[in-house]
Amino acid sequence: MRASNVSRGAPLLVGLAAGILTLTILPKSAQAQAACANLPDEPGGGPITKIYIENGDTQEPLIKKVGKLLVNTAGAKLRIIYRNRPTCELRDSLFLGRQMQTVTTPARPVRYIPTNPAFDPTTAAPECTVPDAPAPGEPIVLGIGATYLSSCPAATQPTDIGVFDGPIQAYAFITHKDSAQVAITAEEGYLAYGFTEGGGEASPWVVQNLRFKRNNTASTTLTMSSAIRLLPTQMKAADFTTSDALVTAVTTQGAANPNATLGVLGTELYDARRQGANDLKLLAFKTFGQKYAYFPDKTNTTFDKQNVRDGHYLPWSPTPYIAKKDGTGAILDPNVKRLYELIAGLKTEADVDGLKQVVGSGLIPKCAMKVTRSGDGADLSLYSDPAPCGCYFEKNVPQGATTCTACTDDTPCGGGKCRFGFCETK
Amino acid sequence: MKTTRAPATVLAVLTLVGACVIYGACDDSSAVKEPSPDAGSSGSTSSGSTSSGSSGNDPDGGDGGPTDCVQNPTTHLEIINACTNATRITKNPTLNKLLADGGLPPLQ
């Protein structure tokens, strides 16, 4: 019986093994992928509108979270098809009215949000294909950058393109988890990144091949270089085309000399890792003229971004949403407008709370900020949002808590305003 | 000479004691200390000050003194040095490559 069972099962096992082998040895590009334009509508249901987006890779977690809600909503379903791309490159895509097409140098896959309700936004989204040459029908309708566009090389903004303020993105210097370092000053950053090996003497960050950065058009590099008064091209460090690749370098190459290891990363990516692999260390930052160094959060174990919000932690920038606008200055495409308003907290839908996804993605809604500035490296000034959401933010971050009064209307707010379930001052 | 010097000394001592009392009452950095995230590392960690001393919006008063932080910040320099309850880390490295005035040297 046993032998018989084995012999009956053998072909199945062989087939399974062959399938696994095929999936393992074939490059992803050789595996069958659906054309993005032909992705199916809801099985047995109505059509799903598609929109094409290019975004900084720091914004991918948010795109996947909101995208999952939108593609499965009981309301009008919307499927996001997206590609991670450096901020200055995606700006050009929108300014030049490009269609989504293959990008090979370096390869930047196009991904989509699946309709499968079991899709885990913390995992990789599936890929789909786009034409190798420009073809009508798949226009990039939204670009989501992650730093001030003024930090990019100069380009003429078309009169029909608008730039709309999105959530705030913070960045940080990171090091290997075994580093004994706690903080870095702006002067140390300048001397470490600005000079070749042996030149800057900013101990312990004196080993050039253990200094890492993203490529020169990536928002992470643009904002962090500005924080230490360098241009991206002046940073003497190894370049990486993705944040994941940079993290891998910090965790692997840095193991031999943790103290000398230095990299840059979006804090939402760091936050995700400290709740998971916990294989990195974020350095507190002391900017020029500051008396102490601070973490982005109140402590190095919280997620409240208190120091970003009140101006103690400097490396941050808004995420510009770039899209066509109408004659009134509003976003022209109704699907893009809907997505932006959900993320900005200007509207909510019964089963799509965009603001909650922003907070859950490690970003900071503009309405939770108390400071602002005009560009990378510019001075801070005080900011008071017309519809503040600081209480909601504090409550909804991981380990969140707030002393604000919960409310359903203005009654308990003592002259203040009930917003997002909590009493705000206005 | 002695009779004129004694009141001056007493006044100085009283001033110093008064400053310490004011600082102790207003700055909670000595009341709550968090352990340094990494013993023996490059910075020392403490909780921040939630309010400033009596001298207002001057962030340049030196560490630990009455002007350690700014209570009602308005300018950039005041905002980044405002009083806070956040963890703050003392980091004042000696950097030989900085210019004599503390400025950044030109890149090579």
Side-chain angles (χ1 to χ4, degrees), chain A residues 180 183 188 190 281 286 306 312, chain B residues 38 41 81-82 85 91-92 105:
Chain A
E188 286 178 313
Y190 176 90
K281 186 174 188 179
K286 177 181 174 181
Q306 176 177 304
H312 284 90
Chain B
D38 300 278
S41 59
N81 290 299
N85 60 358
K91 181 85 191 280
N92 298 300

Side-chain angles (χ1 to χ4, degrees), chain A residues 69 82 143 154 241 252 370:
Chain A
L69 297 178
Y82 71 95
T241 56
T252 57
K370 298 174 183 173

